[in-house]
Amino acid sequence: MAKIAFILLCHKDPASVIAQAERLTARGDYISIHFDGRASKEHYDTIRAALKDNPSVAFAARRMKCGWGEWSLVEATLQAVMAAVEKFPRATHFYMLSGDCMSIKSAAYAHAFLDAEDVDYIESFDFFESDWIKTGMKGDRLHYRHWFNERKNKFLFYASHKVQKKLRLSRQVPSDVQVMIGSQWWCLRRRTIEWILDFIQARPDVIRFFRTTWIPDETFFQTLVPHLVPQSEIRTRTLTFLMFTDYGMPVTFYNDHYDLLLSQDYLFARKISPGALELKERLGQLYASDEATFQISNEGRSLFSFVVGRGRVGRRYSPRFWETESTLGRERELMIVVCKKWHVAKRILDRIRTVTGIPCVEYLFNEDSCPLPDLGGIQSTVEKRTRHRRSLMRMLFDYHDSDRLVMCLDPSAIDLMRDFYSDRSGTKMLEILCDFSDEYLVGHAKRVGLAGDRTPPDTLEELLPTIRADFVYESDQIRDAGFEHVYRLRESGSPDDNLLALARFLDIPENRAREIAETGYLFVD
């Protein structure tokens, strides 16, 4: 029967570490603990004292000072693995855990699961061909040496990277090794672990390479296992259930996630909230039980995707506070200023704000740098704002304590216009029709990357009619959409002509609209 040696990396909360060790060893398994060298010595001594009489507990011989993204995390894992290999000769499997992990099945079920197939469980995807890395540094993780911690020494990290690139100090991956990537939460057989330890002794060149790669805990074991083990004996998955929010943060599980966790096809889950005491107690009791049958529905990720698509994160059945309704509100009025010349629209918004006092927001769905209040992170990027656009607008109405709000959109954002017009709130639009000189179109082409300083004049001459036609097409799309309450302000129009559009759009007297319309610098390029 399978006997598991759990490899526990932790850095805080000695009471939870002690409870986890006692719980996991109560059914005949083992645990090897690495407590971060940066953490409190007093906490470490507390753990050692509490578990000193438990023969199923081992401690790493050396406490590494761990840093996120550093080789120190791999070295800490290896220290705990070596302690477990030496002290627990009967261990058949080695399972990576963190202090935030909890079992979501019984020990009986876990042992039967591992006995069913003689395989290793580890995510292992081709580093260069897969899309496992969604954002940020990819090939440069390997091709350049990283001596500094990106989170603690950001300047030195990127300065070192920049200097190496400038001096062309890139390096090659060891020729006989295919670098792979995946989650660091693995479960490996004893034979595989022993092969890895032998490989480390035989190939110091590979170890030197990984020592200065960036985030090696996602590549080191993931690379060595398929290098040493036949593919038929590897299951490319983790046995630890974890999810990430649309903000790139691990999903935290709470007391009301008990049933959801049990139904997942995994043995453990992370991260469990420190405050989810009821959940921890119930899962601890479950692990010690003889329960061997579970109804696996595996709906966790699809359910999470469903609720996140509606702007929800966190507890299973509680919505984000800003998503209690899917509308901006029947009583509210959203006024959209549409203009291709952003500087013109911003000037008009400034005048509207001054003359009327109505809250105004600039190109929040087009411009990352748009000034916005702190709304809990939803405002941080254009992508997030667009994904949660109605939620964001509700929050802005609430923030300004107003039922009227003016915002800007680029004429190309026809889908956003349709979405806001479909809301139950009142929606108006002011389309500002500007004149576009050839000089302005050339500048626009350069700003959006269609042309550069060295683009030949002949090429620009051919490009300008296309850009001008594209501007006309965007305006025609707005007209063809059939939106109600659309007013048009023209650069070529007189103040008398434009004040009527402003008065109706803002629902203000004509004398106040005239103050805006007669502003002399509105259309200056």
Side-chain angles (χ1 to χ4, degrees):
M1 184 180 76
K3 293 183 75 67
I4 308 169
F6 293 103
I7 307 301
L8 178 64
L9 300 191
C10 49
H11 64 280
K12 61 181 180 179
D13 198 354
S16 291
V17 173
I18 294 166
Q20 192 174 33
E22 291 175 340
R23 180 170 56 248
L24 294 177
T25 58
R27 293 298 299 266
D29 292 316
Y30 313 105
I31 192 167
S32 181
I33 300 171
H34 178 276
F35 197 71
D36 195 335
R38 298 184 189 276
S40 164
K41 183 179 183 300
E42 180 182 354
H43 287 173
Y44 180 63
D45 291 342
T46 298
I47 296 170
R48 298 261 342 203
L51 299 174
K52 63 182 176 62
D53 296 326
N54 189 330
S56 297
V57 176
F59 289 88
R62 295 173 56 204
R63 292 176 62 201
M64 311 305 303
K65 293 182 178 180
C66 298
W68 187 89
E70 295 179 5
W71 170 257
S72 55
L73 286 173
V74 177
E75 196 160 3
T77 304
L78 290 172
Q79 288 291 325
V81 165
M82 289 187 287
V85 168
E86 180 180 353
K87 186 168 182 179
F88 309 127
R90 297 180 60 195
T92 61
H93 294 77
F94 295 74
Y95 195 123
M96 267 286 292
L97 290 176
S98 75
D100 297 319
C101 295
M102 283 286 294
S103 57
I104 56 174
K105 298 291 187 296
S106 65
Y109 181 94
H111 294 153
F113 184 97
L114 295 177
D115 283 334
E117 283 193 285
D118 186 21
V119 295
D120 296 307
Y121 295 91
I122 184 169
E123 281 192 355
S124 187
F125 305 99
D126 187 278
F127 185 93
F128 296 102
E129 298 298 327
S130 72
D131 63 348
W132 200 87
I133 299 174
K134 301 297 183 184
T135 59
M137 190 181 292
K138 187 171 182 179
D140 286 4
R141 287 193 189 188
L142 309 179
H143 291 151
Y144 296 95
R145 297 164 180 83
H146 302 279
W147 296 288
F148 304 101
N149 186 288
E150 192 267 349
R151 292 188 174 181
K152 295 181 179 178
N153 298 291
K154 191 177 292 287
F155 173 79
L156 292 176
F157 179 90
Y158 288 106
S160 169
H161 178 231
K162 184 177 180 179
V163 168
Q164 290 181 73
K165 292 190 76 169
K166 186 174 183 179
L167 297 178
R168 299 182 180 180
L169 298 177
S170 63
R171 58 178 178 173
Q172 296 298 315
V173 176
S175 58
D176 62 332
V177 172
Q178 180 183 5
V179 178
M180 310 293 278
I181 192 167
S183 166
Q184 62 268 52
W185 312 110
W186 40 254
C187 178
L188 304 177
R189 297 167 295 175
R190 184 181 194 91
R191 182 183 64 182
T192 302
I193 288 292
E194 290 173 344
W195 283 349
I196 289 173
L197 295 179
D198 290 343
F199 182 90
I200 290 172
Q201 296 298 318
R203 293 294 302 274
D205 59 315
V206 176
I207 307 308
R208 281 196 301 272
F209 172 79
F210 277 106
R211 278 184 181 275
T212 51
T213 59
W214 180 231
I215 319 182
D217 53 313
E218 293 179 351
T219 55
F220 181 74
F221 292 97
Q222 296 79 357
T223 297
L224 294 196
V225 171
H227 184 75
L228 299 169
V229 177
Q231 189 60 46
S232 60
E233 298 180 17
I234 300 174
R235 297 293 175 264
T236 307
R237 58 162 297 189
T238 175
L239 296 181
T240 299
F241 180 59
L242 68 161
M243 299 187 295
F244 289 88
T245 71
D246 48 348
Y247 299 98
M249 300 298 291
V251 173
T252 300
F253 299 109
Y254 298 91
N255 290 332
D256 54 356
H257 285 108
Y258 180 80
D259 292 332
L260 179 143
L261 292 176
L262 264 60
S263 66
Q264 306 311 304
D265 188 20
Y266 296 85
L267 304 184
F268 282 76
R270 74 180 304 267
K271 304 172 70 169
I272 306 298
S273 169
L277 302 181
E278 179 186 341
L279 177 62
K280 290 183 177 183
E281 182 178 356
R282 294 178 71 184
L283 291 176
Q285 293 172 354
L286 175 68
Y287 189 76
S289 73
D290 293 323
E291 180 64 46
T293 304
F294 294 84
Q295 296 295 322
I296 305 298
S297 62
N298 236 18
E299 90 288 5
R301 285 190 172 85
S302 59
L303 175 62
F304 185 73
S305 297
F306 175 79
V307 297
V308 166
R310 283 148 182 79
R312 294 172 56 188
V313 165
R315 299 185 180 220
R316 186 176 182 185
Y317 295 114
S318 63
R320 286 175 174 167
F321 69 89
W322 58 76
E323 281 292 1
T324 54
E325 295 181 43
S326 60
T327 177
L328 305 186
R330 291 183 184 274
E331 74 286 0
R332 286 174 166 165
E333 187 175 55
L334 178 64
M335 293 172 281
I336 305 173
V337 174
V338 177
C339 184
K340 199 65 184 181
K341 291 184 176 179
W342 292 7
H343 62 281
V344 171
K346 291 177 181 180
R347 290 170 186 164
I348 290 178
L349 252 67
D350 183 64
R351 293 296 294 144
I352 290 173
R353 190 184 294 113
T354 300
V355 172
T356 69
I358 300 172
C360 298
V361 186
E362 296 175 0
Y363 286 88
L364 73 167
F365 296 111
N366 303 108
E367 197 172 29
D368 257 319
S369 59
C370 172
L372 289 171
D374 186 353
L375 300 174
I378 194 174
Q379 84 293 341
S380 59
T381 66
V382 168
E383 181 183 359
K384 288 180 183 177
R385 299 171 202 165
T386 304
R387 185 186 308 132
H388 306 297
R389 46 189 172 270
R390 295 200 191 187
S391 305
L392 176 64
M393 296 311 298
R394 282 189 63 85
M395 295 173 75
L396 286 171
F397 275 109
D398 292 339
Y399 176 85
H400 291 289
D401 194 22
S402 173
D403 288 335
R404 307 185 77 204
L405 185 69
V406 183
M407 60 169 284
C408 291
L409 282 180
D410 187 272
S412 62
I414 188 69
D415 289 338
L416 287 171
M417 299 174 205
R418 290 194 178 103
D419 186 59
F420 287 124
Y421 262 91
S422 68
D423 193 86
R424 294 198 295 271
S425 64
T427 307
K428 292 181 179 179
M429 182 185 298
L430 178 68
E431 184 182 10
I432 303 174
L433 301 173
C434 297
D435 299 330
F436 301 102
S437 65
D438 286 351
E439 183 181 5
Y440 177 85
L441 294 180
V442 170
H444 174 80
K446 291 179 178 180
R447 284 191 294 273
V448 300
L450 293 175
D453 292 333
R454 298 183 179 180
T455 302
D458 292 344
T459 302
L460 286 174
E461 288 182 9
E462 295 176 359
L463 188 60
L464 295 188
T466 303
I467 298 174
R468 193 182 299 277
D470 192 55
F471 288 359
V472 173
Y473 172 74
E474 291 174 352
S475 183
D476 285 343
Q477 274 196 307
I478 294 173
R479 294 172 184 268
D480 294 341
F483 298 135
E484 296 180 348
H485 310 300
V486 177
Y487 308 96
R488 291 181 172 85
L489 187 151
R490 291 174 170 81
E491 180 175 351
S492 59
S494 68
D496 287 337
D497 294 331
N498 287 335
L499 71 85
L500 292 175
L502 285 165
R504 293 170 183 172
F505 173 67
L506 297 169
D507 196 22
I508 58 175
E510 291 185 11
N511 64 321
R512 298 180 69 192
R514 184 179 294 277
E515 293 182 49
I516 302 172
E518 290 184 344
T519 303
Y521 56 83
L522 289 181
F523 293 99
V524 176
D525 286 333

